[in-house]
Amino acid sequence: MNTKGKLSIKILLLSLIAISFNCKEKTPVKTMDQPAIIVEKEIPEYFLLRPEVEKAYGYSHAVKIGNEIKISGAVSMDDEGNPTAIGDIEQQMKNCYSDLEKVLAHYGCTFDDVVVENVFTTNMPMFLEIAAYRNEIYKNQFPTGSWIGVKELALPEFMIEIEMEVHKAE
């Protein structure tokens, strides 16, 4: 490779390094004889479904950065944070999806935009009996994810918790 080729590769590498270090600001990045590249800051957008409950427990229900949205695990609770549908895993699951739908709608998304869904349950055999309900949620395709049996969730009355990751096409 000639000297000019090596210089071009160095300029490209320096440009990539400059972009990665400046990706948190809307800053023009200029390298030697190359035009400036504008890199926009991606500011997290936080969403609280039940602000008082989430502040008391110290979490945000969802965070959007760019086209990606991370949604905390939804459980079956009322607006004061009290467990609902105690002992009924099927209704708890439906309540989780109802809350998740509200979070998705806040960001202009649907279940079609979900790319990862992780289900945590304290009773895997019972969950497997009702898992077909997800066909009503995911009408076009299923996301990736895991079903995980756990000893317990945040409160003993919770039997299921569902978390998601979303990719919002823009």
Side-chain angles (χ1 to χ4, degrees):
M1 181 180 301
N2 63 27
T3 306
K4 187 173 183 176
K6 289 180 183 177
L7 182 59
S8 294
I9 290 174
K10 285 182 181 178
I11 290 171
L12 176 62
L13 289 173
L14 288 172
S15 296
L16 292 174
I17 291 168
I19 289 169
S20 68
F21 282 112
N22 287 293
C23 66
K24 295 185 178 181
E25 300 176 10
K26 188 173 183 175
T27 306
V29 178
K30 187 168 174 72
T31 59
M32 299 177 109
D33 296 325
Q34 302 295 321
I37 301 169
I38 304 294
V39 179
E40 293 190 33
K41 181 178 183 179
E42 293 182 344
I43 301 169
E45 177 189 334
Y46 295 86
F47 174 70
L48 303 179
L49 183 63
R50 295 181 178 91
E52 296 305 315
V53 173
E54 292 161 27
K55 286 178 185 175
Y57 283 103
Y59 72 100
S60 295
H61 208 87
V63 180
K64 179 180 182 284
I65 302 174
N67 293 352
E68 305 303 317
I69 304 165
K70 309 285 187 190
I71 303 175
S72 293
V75 292
S76 182
M77 69 168 63
D78 62 20
D79 288 338
E80 287 76 43
N82 301 307
T84 58
I86 296 170
D88 185 346
I89 192 170
E90 183 172 12
Q91 188 57 52
Q92 284 193 18
M93 179 174 62
K94 290 177 180 180
N95 293 347
C96 290
Y97 282 119
S98 176
D99 280 354
L100 291 164
E101 186 173 35
K102 292 172 189 172
V103 175
L104 291 169
H106 170 79
Y107 290 109
C109 297
T110 69
F111 288 108
D112 289 336
D113 299 303
V114 176
V115 294
V116 178
E117 176 196 77
N118 293 315
V119 176
F120 303 89
T121 180
T122 59
N123 192 325
M124 187 60 73
M126 285 178 70
F127 171 70
L128 293 173
E129 289 179 21
I130 60 166
Y133 174 75
R134 295 173 67 252
N135 290 310
E136 295 180 34
I137 300 300
Y138 299 106
K139 299 185 189 306
N140 295 315
Q141 73 280 328
F142 289 102
T144 66
S146 300
W147 295 352
I148 304 158
V150 297
K151 181 181 173 188
E152 60 187 351
L153 294 167
L155 296 176
E157 295 86 356
F158 295 147
M159 302 173 76
I160 188 168
E161 183 169 343
I162 305 169
E163 68 179 15
M164 297 179 165
E165 294 182 25
V166 176
H167 178 79
K168 182 177 181 180
E170 289 189 28

